[in-house]
Amino acid sequence: FDALGSDLLNYYSIIVDEFQNIFMDSSFKAEVELNFLEELQSCPNVTYLSATPYIEEYLDELDEFKDLPYYELKWDSSKLRTIDVEFRKTSSISKEVDKIIDRYKIGNYPVKIDENKNIYESKEVVFYVNSVKMIRSIIKRNRLTPDQVNIICANTKSNQDSLKKLGFEIGKAPGRGKEHKTFTFCTRTTYVGADFYSTNAMSVIISDCKIDSLSSDIRMDFPQIMG
């Protein structure tokens, strides 16, 4: 903001995409989020945008949002798709994950049949997990190799070093038409704004709320991940 100075007010429109994260992240970096909102108050052209927004009645309770116009885009119902979600409660996350990986490793892929009797075979699986530590554990336990695995997480030195010890490196979501690996592991850095152009991947969300270091559980991100 300081670098742009008066130009920010006169020549720029600001779009805050995925703005629901202002609230999600406030549990562990409230000061950063409040400072960000305070800076925006002096900007005349600000749009808060999200495909998973907060309800207007809730926003009206906050000084920073209560006087702002609220627009909701309605999708054509014929273009909406219902997502099939299967919840599994397990006494051992490790065993459940290992069973899924074993199935894909031997080529016993899940099959889905749509209402038109079209058959779809899933040859890829995307795991959404709480931490890089969990990813390391899954990789070591199942003896996965770099040619099988794509890891998408925060590009920090700590994560780089942690994965390098196993012979892995941080990857990225493949672009449209690019090759996908059998197993993709994603942490929260990927939940927002990443597009996976897979035609057959199954998504598995692993929620382990017993991790002491977590400020919020992955279940809070269900709408974003499924969207």
Side-chain angles (χ1 to χ4, degrees):
F1 293 117
D2 291 340
L4 291 173
S6 60
D7 286 347
L8 179 63
L9 303 179
N10 299 322
Y11 302 109
Y12 289 89
S13 293
I14 297 175
I15 298 178
V16 182
D17 196 12
E18 304 291 3
F19 85 92
Q20 79 281 352
N21 284 289
I22 293 174
F23 310 105
M24 293 292 297
D25 295 347
S26 62
S27 61
F28 59 93
K29 55 174 184 177
E31 185 176 354
V32 173
E33 301 297 348
L34 287 173
N35 288 339
F36 176 63
L37 287 174
E38 185 177 347
E39 291 281 358
L40 292 176
Q41 300 310 301
S42 61
C43 303
N45 301 305
V46 181
T47 300
Y48 296 93
L49 182 67
S50 175
T52 53
Y54 272 54
I55 299 173
E56 184 177 10
E57 285 78 2
Y58 296 164
L59 295 175
D60 287 342
E61 298 297 320
L62 302 172
D63 291 339
E64 292 84 359
F65 295 94
K66 65 181 181 181
D67 295 324
L68 299 181
Y70 186 94
Y71 299 96
E72 183 177 355
L73 301 181
K74 296 290 187 180
W75 287 89
D76 185 337
S77 59
S78 64
K79 296 182 179 180
L80 297 178
R81 295 183 181 179
T82 301
I83 299 174
D84 295 327
V85 180
E86 178 184 349
F87 289 94
R88 293 188 187 178
K89 186 176 181 180
T90 176
S91 59
S92 173
I93 291 177
S94 299
K95 290 181 180 179
E96 197 70 31
V97 170
D98 293 352
K99 283 193 295 184
I100 295 172
I101 291 176
D102 285 342
R103 183 174 181 178
Y104 276 80
K105 286 173 71 175
I106 65 174
N108 181 18
Y109 303 119
V111 173
K112 179 179 179 180
I113 303 176
D114 66 14
E115 62 276 7
N116 298 316
K117 303 297 178 65
N118 295 312
I119 300 175
Y120 299 94
E121 189 177 46
S122 172
K123 295 185 177 182
E124 307 161 17
V125 56
V126 179
F127 291 99
Y128 295 89
V129 301
N130 285 350
S131 66
V132 172
K133 182 179 179 181
M134 184 183 293
I135 295 173
R136 282 173 46 90
S137 176
I138 294 171
I139 287 174
K140 290 172 66 175
R141 203 170 55 245
N142 291 277
R143 299 181 180 180
L144 299 178
T145 57
D147 64 300
Q148 298 172 307
V149 173
N150 185 17
I151 301 172
I152 310 174
C153 61
N155 191 14
T156 64
K157 189 176 187 307
S158 174
N159 287 341
Q160 291 172 1
D161 293 343
S162 178
L163 295 174
K164 189 176 181 180
K165 292 177 181 178
L166 294 181
F168 289 78
E169 59 184 21
I170 298 173
K172 59 182 180 180
R176 191 185 298 274
K178 299 296 182 180
E179 181 182 359
H180 291 69
K181 295 185 179 181
T182 306
F183 305 105
T184 298
F185 295 93
C186 303
T187 61
R188 193 170 188 271
T189 190
T190 321
Y191 304 166
V192 179
D195 293 319
F196 291 92
Y197 296 99
S198 174
T199 60
N200 61 78
M202 178 175 72
S203 295
V204 178
I205 303 171
I206 305 171
S207 174
D208 186 355
C209 56
K210 295 181 180 179
I211 298 177
D212 295 335
S213 60
L214 290 180
S215 59
S216 61
D217 184 51
I218 195 173
R219 287 175 293 180
M220 301 291 288
D221 291 298
F222 274 8
Q224 182 67 39
I225 294 173
M226 290 187 290

